[in-house]
């Protein structure tokens, strides 16, 4: 059997596979970033609701906004709402990623 000339075969295979690997890596990095933001925002909102039970709501809201701004990109729209009533505290965080992340929690003590 005759061996065919295979010069450039690896380059051709790399040209087909490299964009696929880059796209997969980018998608995984974005998924990791969204997951990190979701769980971090959920935890920080829970901490802010506990804070609102003992301190002024505006102080807790400011602290929550500052802690979330550390993680999201600079041009990302962020909306934070905290309310306190005699039944307990409620909060909502909206982070404008595509698709948007929305977290709502209620804490009754």
């Amino acid at each position: 059997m005759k061996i065919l000339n295979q010069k450039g075969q690896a380059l051709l295979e790399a040209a087909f596979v490299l964009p696929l690997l880059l796209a997969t890596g980018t998608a995984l990095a974005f998924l990791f970033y969204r997951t990190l933001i979701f769980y971090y925002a959920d935890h920080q909102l829970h901490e802010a609701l506990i804070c609102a039970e003992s301190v002024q709501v505006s102080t807790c809201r400011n602290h929550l906004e500052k802690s979330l701004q550390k993680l999201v990109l600079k041009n990302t729209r962020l909306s934070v709402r905290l309310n306190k009533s005699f039944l307990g505290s409620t909060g909502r965080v909206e982070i404008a990623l595509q698709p948007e992340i929305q977290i709502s929690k209620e804490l009754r003590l």
Side-chain angles (χ1 to χ4, degrees), residues 24-37 97-99:
T24 303
T26 302
L28 286 174
F30 182 70
L31 182 63
F32 175 74
Y33 178 67
R34 283 187 58 83
T35 304
L36 178 69
I37 286 179
L97 295 174
Q98 294 301 327

Side-chain angles (χ1 to χ4, degrees), residues 29-59:
F30 182 70
L31 182 63
F32 175 74
Y33 178 67
R34 283 187 58 83
T35 304
L36 178 69
I37 286 179
F38 179 82
Y39 284 111
Y40 184 75
D42 183 58
H43 174 74
Q44 291 299 323
L45 179 57
H46 183 76
E47 293 293 321
L49 291 176
I50 293 171
C51 171
E53 291 296 321
S54 59
V55 184
Q56 288 183 349
V57 174
S58 61
T59 304

Side-chain angles (χ1 to χ4, degrees), residues 2 4 7 15-16 18 34 53 81 85 90 95:
K2 194 174 188 181
L4 299 173
K7 287 184 179 178
F16 286 124
L18 193 59
R34 283 187 58 83
E53 291 296 321
R81 282 180 255 151
S85 68
T90 59
I95 302 171

